[in-house]
Amino acid sequence: MIESRPKGEGQRLRLARLMGMLDEKGQITAKPILSKDRSLFNQKRYQFFLEAPDWLQISSHCCRIMKKNPAHSYSHKTGRKPITAQMASESRLRTQKWLQNGCNGFDLKEPISNPMSFWFEEDVLLYCYKHNIEICSVYGDIVKETEVEGQYDFEDLGIFDLGRPQLKTTGCDRTGCVFCGFGCHIEKGEGRFVRLKRTHPKLYDYVMRPWEQGGLNYKEVIDWINEHGNFDIRY
Ligand code: SF4
């Protein structure tokens, strides 16, 4: 049997702490505690996007358009309700929703069940590892963290995270839409676009190719972001 993390209050506290939702007295807050400039984000660092040229359109609507709208439309047409594998630990918003609604939002405007809400990524990896469950090839293999680094083995030394070996994947650690650039500027190591070039050269060519040649023009976009934001997004 798989060891399970403490659920209930312990899990709630752990998530709230991770998401910056604990006040000075250690109480869970309804919303994340904002920094002095009232933002969750480093606005100054991304201010340069306000000067983006017309050909570089920026919005926060990709998830709504590409994922939520089609899912809602399917739900309305069929009367079926979604069950997803989203986890509270994936974002502050998801933590907030889980703290408000629990795993099953029966009374929400769009009812949804998220039975894995209280899982952490390491729970998923441990479950797949112990049960030898096949995972998508882009994730590679599940190995103990130190096997990736080629260093000593924490398990041998008896050092565990809550009694467990720390696990990670040898390929992608997370995936979204294949061309998603979210967070690509803070990636360490190979980076998603360099990896895409190695693993899926035809897709890479499509995404980097200029508009006029039928591509998605990412090369020009990344060059502009690197230059104006002083980033080092590799491709
Ligand atoms: S995975 Fe990336 S591109 Fe896809 S909907 Fe989410 S943020 Fe947008």
Side-chain angles (χ1 to χ4, degrees):
M1 172 137 177
I2 293 287
E3 312 149 48
S4 59
R5 286 192 174 284
K7 299 184 182 69
E9 199 54 25
Q11 195 79 325
R12 286 163 60 85
L13 283 174
R14 183 178 181 215
L15 268 168
R17 186 173 298 110
L18 272 175
M19 300 298 168
M21 294 171 67
L22 277 188
D23 66 15
E24 287 167 357
K25 294 177 186 161
Q27 302 291 316
I28 296 175
T29 57
K31 290 186 176 172
I33 297 170
L34 303 176
S35 60
K36 279 183 192 151
D37 62 5
R38 310 294 301 160
S39 172
L40 289 171
F41 308 102
N42 184 343
Q43 293 177 332
K44 284 208 175 118
R45 193 169 183 209
Y46 303 104
Q47 200 169 7
F48 70 94
F49 276 118
L50 295 174
E51 309 299 325
D54 289 345
W55 57 264
L56 179 47
Q57 304 253 316
I58 297 169
S59 86
S60 58
H61 298 298
C62 55
C63 194
R64 180 172 61 78
I65 290 167
M66 294 199 287
K67 293 178 174 172
K68 290 183 179 175
N69 285 357
H72 289 162
S73 153
Y74 177 79
S75 177
H76 290 150
K77 271 187 212 146
T78 61
R80 294 177 173 176
K81 306 298 173 204
I83 299 176
T84 83
Q86 67 175 251
M87 299 182 287
S89 56
E90 291 169 316
S91 73
R92 285 191 175 96
L93 183 63
R94 289 182 179 179
T95 297
Q96 210 175 324
K97 294 282 174 208
W98 178 61
L99 291 170
Q100 281 167 1
N101 307 315
C103 290
N104 294 306
F106 294 120
D107 301 323
L108 298 177
K109 193 171 156 211
E110 305 280 354
I112 187 168
S113 175
N114 302 312
M116 287 175 61
S117 276
F118 57 86
W119 284 48
F120 282 78
E121 188 175 305
E122 62 220 61
D123 296 314
V124 178
L125 294 180
L126 184 63
Y127 190 85
C128 294
Y129 185 77
K130 280 201 166 184
H131 293 275
N132 206 18
I133 292 173
E134 190 179 350
I135 58 174
C136 178
S137 59
V138 295
Y139 294 111
D141 298 317
I142 301 172
V143 296
K144 285 176 217 154
E145 199 152 8
T146 48
E147 288 177 38
V148 177
E149 308 299 333
Q151 298 172 356
Y152 51 75
D153 189 324
F154 282 113
E155 191 179 20
D156 292 340
L157 294 174
I159 302 170
F160 288 82
D161 174 28
L162 295 181
R164 298 167 172 203
Q166 307 230 341
L167 301 171
K168 66 188 295 184
T169 51
T170 55
C172 298
D173 53 354
R174 299 194 65 79
T175 57
C177 302
V178 69
F179 304 135
C180 179
F182 188 81
C184 64
H185 60 304
I186 51 171
E187 280 179 320
K188 297 192 176 105
E190 188 178 37
R192 72 193 69 180
F193 296 121
V194 177
R195 186 186 301 127
L196 187 69
K197 178 159 56 173
R198 177 169 55 77
T199 59
H200 296 79
K202 282 189 182 165
L203 283 181
Y204 176 85
D205 176 60
Y206 166 67
V207 74
M208 293 295 165
R209 216 183 307 140
W211 284 117
E212 309 78 53
Q213 295 172 29
L216 292 185
N217 206 32
Y218 267 38
K219 181 182 180 309
E220 193 174 4
V221 171
I222 295 172
D223 285 344
W224 187 90
I225 293 174
N226 279 343
E227 185 186 338
H228 294 83
N230 198 21
F231 290 129
D232 180 28
I233 303 168
R234 298 172 305 286
Y235 60 90

PDB file of all heavy atoms in Angstrom, residues 140-171:
ATOM      1  N   GLY A 140      10.010  10.948 -19.998  1.00  0.00           N
ATOM      2  CA  GLY A 140      11.179  10.108 -19.753  1.00  0.00           C
ATOM      3  C   GLY A 140      10.860   9.067 -18.694  1.00  0.00           C
ATOM      4  O   GLY A 140       9.736   8.571 -18.613  1.00  0.00           O
ATOM      5  N   ASP A 141      11.846   8.762 -17.842  1.00  0.00           N
ATOM      6  CA  ASP A 141      11.652   7.771 -16.776  1.00  0.00           C
ATOM      7  C   ASP A 141      11.539   8.469 -15.427  1.00  0.00           C
ATOM      8  O   ASP A 141      12.035   9.574 -15.247  1.00  0.00           O
ATOM      9  CB  ASP A 141      12.859   6.822 -16.735  1.00  0.00           C
ATOM     10  CG  ASP A 141      12.988   6.049 -18.030  1.00  0.00           C
ATOM     11  OD1 ASP A 141      11.956   5.585 -18.542  1.00  0.00           O
ATOM     12  OD2 ASP A 141      14.123   5.947 -18.534  1.00  0.00           O
ATOM     13  N   ILE A 142      10.919   7.764 -14.494  1.00  0.00           N
ATOM     14  CA  ILE A 142      10.869   8.275 -13.117  1.00  0.00           C
ATOM     15  C   ILE A 142      12.045   7.679 -12.358  1.00  0.00           C
ATOM     16  O   ILE A 142      12.207   6.462 -12.297  1.00  0.00           O
ATOM     17  CB  ILE A 142       9.554   7.876 -12.431  1.00  0.00           C
ATOM     18  CG1 ILE A 142       8.370   8.424 -13.216  1.00  0.00           C
ATOM     19  CG2 ILE A 142       9.523   8.386 -10.991  1.00  0.00           C
ATOM     20  CD1 ILE A 142       7.023   7.925 -12.723  1.00  0.00           C
ATOM     21  N   VAL A 143      12.879   8.551 -11.824  1.00  0.00           N
ATOM     22  CA  VAL A 143      14.067   8.082 -11.103  1.00  0.00           C
ATOM     23  C   VAL A 143      14.180   8.858  -9.790  1.00  0.00           C
ATOM     24  O   VAL A 143      13.526   9.883  -9.612  1.00  0.00           O
ATOM     25  CB  VAL A 143      15.359   8.324 -11.928  1.00  0.00           C
ATOM     26  CG1 VAL A 143      15.334   7.504 -13.205  1.00  0.00           C
ATOM     27  CG2 VAL A 143      15.530   9.796 -12.237  1.00  0.00           C
ATOM     28  N   LYS A 144      15.006   8.322  -8.907  1.00  0.00           N
ATOM     29  CA  LYS A 144      15.273   9.082  -7.692  1.00  0.00           C
ATOM     30  C   LYS A 144      16.068  10.320  -8.084  1.00  0.00           C
ATOM     31  O   LYS A 144      16.894  10.278  -8.999  1.00  0.00           O
ATOM     32  CB  LYS A 144      16.068   8.223  -6.716  1.00  0.00           C
ATOM     33  CG  LYS A 144      15.210   7.167  -6.055  1.00  0.00           C
ATOM     34  CD  LYS A 144      16.056   6.296  -5.187  1.00  0.00           C
ATOM     35  CE  LYS A 144      15.554   4.872  -5.288  1.00  0.00           C
ATOM     36  NZ  LYS A 144      16.568   3.899  -5.003  1.00  0.00           N
ATOM     37  N   GLU A 145      15.816  11.407  -7.394  1.00  0.00           N
ATOM     38  CA  GLU A 145      16.374  12.699  -7.770  1.00  0.00           C
ATOM     39  C   GLU A 145      17.881  12.630  -8.008  1.00  0.00           C
ATOM     40  O   GLU A 145      18.411  13.186  -8.943  1.00  0.00           O
ATOM     41  CB  GLU A 145      16.073  13.727  -6.698  1.00  0.00           C
ATOM     42  CG  GLU A 145      16.199  15.120  -7.205  1.00  0.00           C
ATOM     43  CD  GLU A 145      15.292  16.067  -6.431  1.00  0.00           C
ATOM     44  OE1 GLU A 145      14.705  15.655  -5.432  1.00  0.00           O
ATOM     45  OE2 GLU A 145      15.200  17.211  -6.843  1.00  0.00           O
ATOM     46  N   THR A 146      18.566  11.908  -7.154  1.00  0.00           N
ATOM     47  CA  THR A 146      20.029  11.886  -7.235  1.00  0.00           C
ATOM     48  C   THR A 146      20.525  11.092  -8.433  1.00  0.00           C
ATOM     49  O   THR A 146      21.646  11.268  -8.860  1.00  0.00           O
ATOM     50  CB  THR A 146      20.620  11.278  -5.959  1.00  0.00           C
ATOM     51  OG1 THR A 146      19.926  10.070  -5.682  1.00  0.00           O
ATOM     52  CG2 THR A 146      20.488  12.241  -4.807  1.00  0.00           C
ATOM     53  N   GLU A 147      19.664  10.220  -8.995  1.00  0.00           N
ATOM     54  CA  GLU A 147      20.094   9.480 -10.169  1.00  0.00           C
ATOM     55  C   GLU A 147      20.243  10.416 -11.358  1.00  0.00           C
ATOM     56  O   GLU A 147      21.017  10.181 -12.257  1.00  0.00           O
ATOM     57  CB  GLU A 147      19.090   8.366 -10.507  1.00  0.00           C
ATOM     58  CG  GLU A 147      19.126   7.218  -9.520  1.00  0.00           C
ATOM     59  CD  GLU A 147      18.077   6.176  -9.856  1.00  0.00           C
ATOM     60  OE1 GLU A 147      17.862   5.909 -11.051  1.00  0.00           O
ATOM     61  OE2 GLU A 147      17.464   5.647  -8.933  1.00  0.00           O
ATOM     62  N   VAL A 148      19.469  11.503 -11.356  1.00  0.00           N
ATOM     63  CA  VAL A 148      19.572  12.467 -12.444  1.00  0.00           C
ATOM     64  C   VAL A 148      20.862  13.273 -12.305  1.00  0.00           C
ATOM     65  O   VAL A 148      21.583  13.516 -13.251  1.00  0.00           O
ATOM     66  CB  VAL A 148      18.357  13.418 -12.432  1.00  0.00           C
ATOM     67  CG1 VAL A 148      18.517  14.469 -13.517  1.00  0.00           C
ATOM     68  CG2 VAL A 148      17.075  12.631 -12.652  1.00  0.00           C
ATOM     69  N   GLU A 149      21.140  13.654 -11.072  1.00  0.00           N
ATOM     70  CA  GLU A 149      22.316  14.481 -10.844  1.00  0.00           C
ATOM     71  C   GLU A 149      23.604  13.667 -10.870  1.00  0.00           C
ATOM     72  O   GLU A 149      24.675  14.207 -10.974  1.00  0.00           O
ATOM     73  CB  GLU A 149      22.216  15.173  -9.464  1.00  0.00           C
ATOM     74  CG  GLU A 149      20.921  15.934  -9.221  1.00  0.00           C
ATOM     75  CD  GLU A 149      20.712  17.045 -10.222  1.00  0.00           C
ATOM     76  OE1 GLU A 149      21.718  17.558 -10.746  1.00  0.00           O
ATOM     77  OE2 GLU A 149      19.550  17.384 -10.501  1.00  0.00           O
ATOM     78  N   GLY A 150      23.470  12.321 -10.721  1.00  0.00           N
ATOM     79  CA  GLY A 150      24.652  11.488 -10.686  1.00  0.00           C
ATOM     80  C   GLY A 150      25.422  11.633  -9.393  1.00  0.00           C
ATOM     81  O   GLY A 150      26.630  11.470  -9.348  1.00  0.00           O
ATOM     82  N   GLN A 151      24.707  11.968  -8.310  1.00  0.00           N
ATOM     83  CA  GLN A 151      25.375  12.125  -7.027  1.00  0.00           C
ATOM     84  C   GLN A 151      25.013  10.975  -6.104  1.00  0.00           C
ATOM     85  O   GLN A 151      24.412  10.002  -6.532  1.00  0.00           O
ATOM     86  CB  GLN A 151      24.966  13.451  -6.400  1.00  0.00           C
ATOM     87  CG  GLN A 151      25.389  14.634  -7.247  1.00  0.00           C
ATOM     88  CD  GLN A 151      24.827  15.928  -6.727  1.00  0.00           C
ATOM     89  OE1 GLN A 151      24.058  15.949  -5.774  1.00  0.00           O
ATOM     90  NE2 GLN A 151      25.200  17.009  -7.363  1.00  0.00           N
ATOM     91  N   TYR A 152      25.341  11.101  -4.821  1.00  0.00           N
ATOM     92  CA  TYR A 152      25.012  10.033  -3.896  1.00  0.00           C
ATOM     93  C   TYR A 152      23.504   9.914  -3.729  1.00  0.00           C
ATOM     94  O   TYR A 152      22.745  10.792  -4.103  1.00  0.00           O
ATOM     95  CB  TYR A 152      25.697  10.248  -2.548  1.00  0.00           C
ATOM     96  CG  TYR A 152      25.477  11.613  -1.963  1.00  0.00           C
ATOM     97  CD1 TYR A 152      24.264  11.958  -1.383  1.00  0.00           C
ATOM     98  CD2 TYR A 152      26.488  12.576  -2.032  1.00  0.00           C
ATOM     99  CE1 TYR A 152      24.058  13.210  -0.871  1.00  0.00           C
ATOM    100  CE2 TYR A 152      26.290  13.832  -1.521  1.00  0.00           C
ATOM    101  CZ  TYR A 152      25.071  14.153  -0.941  1.00  0.00           C
ATOM    102  OH  TYR A 152      24.855  15.395  -0.441  1.00  0.00           O
ATOM    103  N   ASP A 153      23.089   8.771  -3.181  1.00  0.00           N
ATOM    104  CA  ASP A 153      21.681   8.437  -3.097  1.00  0.00           C
ATOM    105  C   ASP A 153      21.130   8.769  -1.718  1.00  0.00           C
ATOM    106  O   ASP A 153      21.556   8.223  -0.716  1.00  0.00           O
ATOM    107  CB  ASP A 153      21.557   6.925  -3.372  1.00  0.00           C
ATOM    108  CG  ASP A 153      20.115   6.525  -3.529  1.00  0.00           C
ATOM    109  OD1 ASP A 153      19.273   7.087  -2.829  1.00  0.00           O
ATOM    110  OD2 ASP A 153      19.860   5.648  -4.363  1.00  0.00           O
ATOM    111  N   PHE A 154      20.170   9.694  -1.678  1.00  0.00           N
ATOM    112  CA  PHE A 154      19.579  10.095  -0.399  1.00  0.00           C
ATOM    113  C   PHE A 154      18.930   8.917   0.316  1.00  0.00           C
ATOM    114  O   PHE A 154      18.922   8.842   1.522  1.00  0.00           O
ATOM    115  CB  PHE A 154      18.530  11.185  -0.614  1.00  0.00           C
ATOM    116  CG  PHE A 154      19.119  12.531  -0.830  1.00  0.00           C
ATOM    117  CD1 PHE A 154      19.008  13.164  -2.050  1.00  0.00           C
ATOM    118  CD2 PHE A 154      19.805  13.174   0.184  1.00  0.00           C
ATOM    119  CE1 PHE A 154      19.559  14.418  -2.251  1.00  0.00           C
ATOM    120  CE2 PHE A 154      20.358  14.436  -0.009  1.00  0.00           C
ATOM    121  CZ  PHE A 154      20.236  15.050  -1.235  1.00  0.00           C
ATOM    122  N   GLU A 155      18.365   7.990  -0.498  1.00  0.00           N
ATOM    123  CA  GLU A 155      17.688   6.862   0.127  1.00  0.00           C
ATOM    124  C   GLU A 155      18.693   6.020   0.903  1.00  0.00           C
ATOM    125  O   GLU A 155      18.442   5.576   2.015  1.00  0.00           O
ATOM    126  CB  GLU A 155      16.985   6.007  -0.925  1.00  0.00           C
ATOM    127  CG  GLU A 155      16.069   4.991  -0.290  1.00  0.00           C
ATOM    128  CD  GLU A 155      15.357   4.175  -1.346  1.00  0.00           C
ATOM    129  OE1 GLU A 155      15.831   4.134  -2.490  1.00  0.00           O
ATOM    130  OE2 GLU A 155      14.333   3.568  -1.013  1.00  0.00           O
ATOM    131  N   ASP A 156      19.882   5.833   0.304  1.00  0.00           N
ATOM    132  CA  ASP A 156      20.920   5.063   0.990  1.00  0.00           C
ATOM    133  C   ASP A 156      21.323   5.737   2.289  1.00  0.00           C
ATOM    134  O   ASP A 156      21.678   5.099   3.271  1.00  0.00           O
ATOM    135  CB  ASP A 156      22.171   4.926   0.104  1.00  0.00           C
ATOM    136  CG  ASP A 156      21.876   4.055  -1.102  1.00  0.00           C
ATOM    137  OD1 ASP A 156      20.896   3.295  -1.046  1.00  0.00           O
ATOM    138  OD2 ASP A 156      22.614   4.174  -2.094  1.00  0.00           O
ATOM    139  N   LEU A 157      21.302   7.069   2.278  1.00  0.00           N
ATOM    140  CA  LEU A 157      21.706   7.800   3.481  1.00  0.00           C
ATOM    141  C   LEU A 157      20.562   7.914   4.481  1.00  0.00           C
ATOM    142  O   LEU A 157      20.727   8.473   5.557  1.00  0.00           O
ATOM    143  CB  LEU A 157      22.175   9.214   3.093  1.00  0.00           C
ATOM    144  CG  LEU A 157      23.450   9.268   2.249  1.00  0.00           C
ATOM    145  CD1 LEU A 157      23.713  10.691   1.831  1.00  0.00           C
ATOM    146  CD2 LEU A 157      24.627   8.721   3.025  1.00  0.00           C
ATOM    147  N   GLY A 158      19.397   7.410   4.080  1.00  0.00           N
ATOM    148  CA  GLY A 158      18.252   7.483   4.977  1.00  0.00           C
ATOM    149  C   GLY A 158      17.629   8.849   5.029  1.00  0.00           C
ATOM    150  O   GLY A 158      16.951   9.207   5.978  1.00  0.00           O
ATOM    151  N   ILE A 159      17.866   9.682   4.003  1.00  0.00           N
ATOM    152  CA  ILE A 159      17.293  11.018   4.005  1.00  0.00           C
ATOM    153  C   ILE A 159      16.110  11.038   3.049  1.00  0.00           C
ATOM    154  O   ILE A 159      16.261  10.876   1.844  1.00  0.00           O
ATOM    155  CB  ILE A 159      18.327  12.070   3.560  1.00  0.00           C
ATOM    156  CG1 ILE A 159      19.513  12.009   4.495  1.00  0.00           C
ATOM    157  CG2 ILE A 159      17.709  13.450   3.538  1.00  0.00           C
ATOM    158  CD1 ILE A 159      20.683  12.823   4.018  1.00  0.00           C
ATOM    159  N   PHE A 160      14.935  11.199   3.570  1.00  0.00           N
ATOM    160  CA  PHE A 160      13.726  11.179   2.770  1.00  0.00           C
ATOM    161  C   PHE A 160      12.930  12.436   3.016  1.00  0.00           C
ATOM    162  O   PHE A 160      13.082  13.097   4.027  1.00  0.00           O
ATOM    163  CB  PHE A 160      12.831   9.994   3.178  1.00  0.00           C
ATOM    164  CG  PHE A 160      13.365   8.676   2.747  1.00  0.00           C
ATOM    165  CD1 PHE A 160      14.337   8.038   3.482  1.00  0.00           C
ATOM    166  CD2 PHE A 160      12.870   8.076   1.611  1.00  0.00           C
ATOM    167  CE1 PHE A 160      14.818   6.808   3.087  1.00  0.00           C
ATOM    168  CE2 PHE A 160      13.356   6.859   1.206  1.00  0.00           C
ATOM    169  CZ  PHE A 160      14.332   6.216   1.938  1.00  0.00           C
ATOM    170  N   ASP A 161      12.043  12.715   2.094  1.00  0.00           N
ATOM    171  CA  ASP A 161      11.045  13.746   2.330  1.00  0.00           C
ATOM    172  C   ASP A 161       9.841  13.046   2.917  1.00  0.00           C
ATOM    173  O   ASP A 161       9.153  12.305   2.235  1.00  0.00           O
ATOM    174  CB  ASP A 161      10.685  14.413   1.012  1.00  0.00           C
ATOM    175  CG  ASP A 161       9.540  15.393   1.180  1.00  0.00           C
ATOM    176  OD1 ASP A 161       9.388  15.939   2.273  1.00  0.00           O
ATOM    177  OD2 ASP A 161       8.802  15.571   0.207  1.00  0.00           O
ATOM    178  N   LEU A 162       9.555  13.259   4.185  1.00  0.00           N
ATOM    179  CA  LEU A 162       8.462  12.593   4.882  1.00  0.00           C
ATOM    180  C   LEU A 162       8.492  11.087   4.649  1.00  0.00           C
ATOM    181  O   LEU A 162       7.491  10.463   4.344  1.00  0.00           O
ATOM    182  CB  LEU A 162       7.119  13.163   4.420  1.00  0.00           C
ATOM    183  CG  LEU A 162       6.882  14.626   4.769  1.00  0.00           C
ATOM    184  CD1 LEU A 162       5.519  15.077   4.291  1.00  0.00           C
ATOM    185  CD2 LEU A 162       6.989  14.853   6.279  1.00  0.00           C
ATOM    186  N   GLY A 163       9.673  10.503   4.765  1.00  0.00           N
ATOM    187  CA  GLY A 163       9.784   9.063   4.666  1.00  0.00           C
ATOM    188  C   GLY A 163       9.774   8.534   3.249  1.00  0.00           C
ATOM    189  O   GLY A 163       9.639   7.345   3.036  1.00  0.00           O
ATOM    190  N   ARG A 164       9.916   9.393   2.251  1.00  0.00           N
ATOM    191  CA  ARG A 164       9.858   8.922   0.871  1.00  0.00           C
ATOM    192  C   ARG A 164      11.110   9.304   0.101  1.00  0.00           C
ATOM    193  O   ARG A 164      11.701  10.343   0.354  1.00  0.00           O
ATOM    194  CB  ARG A 164       8.709   9.595   0.139  1.00  0.00           C
ATOM    195  CG  ARG A 164       7.398   9.293   0.696  1.00  0.00           C
ATOM    196  CD  ARG A 164       6.466  10.271   0.076  1.00  0.00           C
ATOM    197  NE  ARG A 164       5.123   9.938   0.408  1.00  0.00           N
ATOM    198  CZ  ARG A 164       4.105  10.306  -0.309  1.00  0.00           C
ATOM    199  NH1 ARG A 164       4.295  10.989  -1.396  1.00  0.00           N
ATOM    200  NH2 ARG A 164       2.910   9.994   0.042  1.00  0.00           N
ATOM    201  N   PRO A 165      11.476   8.518  -0.899  1.00  0.00           N
ATOM    202  CA  PRO A 165      12.542   8.985  -1.775  1.00  0.00           C
ATOM    203  C   PRO A 165      12.017  10.131  -2.626  1.00  0.00           C
ATOM    204  O   PRO A 165      10.848  10.166  -2.963  1.00  0.00           O
ATOM    205  CB  PRO A 165      12.840   7.765  -2.652  1.00  0.00           C
ATOM    206  CG  PRO A 165      11.598   6.953  -2.612  1.00  0.00           C
ATOM    207  CD  PRO A 165      10.930   7.219  -1.282  1.00  0.00           C
ATOM    208  N   GLN A 166      12.872  11.083  -2.960  1.00  0.00           N
ATOM    209  CA  GLN A 166      12.433  12.171  -3.823  1.00  0.00           C
ATOM    210  C   GLN A 166      12.578  11.699  -5.257  1.00  0.00           C
ATOM    211  O   GLN A 166      13.629  11.236  -5.659  1.00  0.00           O
ATOM    212  CB  GLN A 166      13.317  13.377  -3.583  1.00  0.00           C
ATOM    213  CG  GLN A 166      13.384  13.724  -2.130  1.00  0.00           C
ATOM    214  CD  GLN A 166      13.100  15.190  -1.885  1.00  0.00           C
ATOM    215  OE1 GLN A 166      13.199  16.001  -2.782  1.00  0.00           O
ATOM    216  NE2 GLN A 166      12.738  15.510  -0.681  1.00  0.00           N
ATOM    217  N   LEU A 167      11.523  11.874  -6.020  1.00  0.00           N
ATOM    218  CA  LEU A 167      11.511  11.367  -7.381  1.00  0.00           C
ATOM    219  C   LEU A 167      11.408  12.511  -8.381  1.00  0.00           C
ATOM    220  O   LEU A 167      10.865  13.569  -8.072  1.00  0.00           O
ATOM    221  CB  LEU A 167      10.311  10.427  -7.573  1.00  0.00           C
ATOM    222  CG  LEU A 167      10.274   9.214  -6.653  1.00  0.00           C
ATOM    223  CD1 LEU A 167       8.941   8.484  -6.784  1.00  0.00           C
ATOM    224  CD2 LEU A 167      11.417   8.256  -6.964  1.00  0.00           C
ATOM    225  N   LYS A 168      11.911  12.266  -9.575  1.00  0.00           N
ATOM    226  CA  LYS A 168      11.714  13.227 -10.656  1.00  0.00           C
ATOM    227  C   LYS A 168      11.757  12.494 -11.982  1.00  0.00           C
ATOM    228  O   LYS A 168      12.132  11.322 -12.045  1.00  0.00           O
ATOM    229  CB  LYS A 168      12.734  14.348 -10.587  1.00  0.00           C
ATOM    230  CG  LYS A 168      14.155  13.924 -10.839  1.00  0.00           C
ATOM    231  CD  LYS A 168      15.116  15.053 -10.564  1.00  0.00           C
ATOM    232  CE  LYS A 168      14.920  16.209 -11.518  1.00  0.00           C
ATOM    233  NZ  LYS A 168      15.925  17.277 -11.296  1.00  0.00           N
ATOM    234  N   THR A 169      11.377  13.183 -13.038  1.00  0.00           N
ATOM    235  CA  THR A 169      11.397  12.551 -14.353  1.00  0.00           C
ATOM    236  C   THR A 169      12.654  12.991 -15.102  1.00  0.00           C
ATOM    237  O   THR A 169      13.161  14.093 -14.888  1.00  0.00           O
ATOM    238  CB  THR A 169      10.147  12.964 -15.177  1.00  0.00           C
ATOM    239  OG1 THR A 169      10.043  14.379 -15.163  1.00  0.00           O
ATOM    240  CG2 THR A 169       8.890  12.359 -14.606  1.00  0.00           C
ATOM    241  N   THR A 170      13.129  12.113 -15.990  1.00  0.00           N
ATOM    242  CA  THR A 170      14.363  12.445 -16.723  1.00  0.00           C
ATOM    243  C   THR A 170      14.078  13.335 -17.933  1.00  0.00           C
ATOM    244  O   THR A 170      14.979  13.948 -18.477  1.00  0.00           O
ATOM    245  CB  THR A 170      15.069  11.159 -17.206  1.00  0.00           C
ATOM    246  OG1 THR A 170      14.125  10.402 -17.978  1.00  0.00           O
ATOM    247  CG2 THR A 170      15.566  10.327 -16.049  1.00  0.00           C
ATOM    248  N   GLY A 171      12.804  13.403 -18.370  1.00  0.00           N
ATOM    249  CA  GLY A 171      12.449  14.269 -19.504  1.00  0.00           C
ATOM    250  C   GLY A 171      11.762  15.525 -19.002  1.00  0.00           C
ATOM    251  O   GLY A 171      12.216  16.160 -18.048  1.00  0.00           O
TER     252      GLY A 171
END
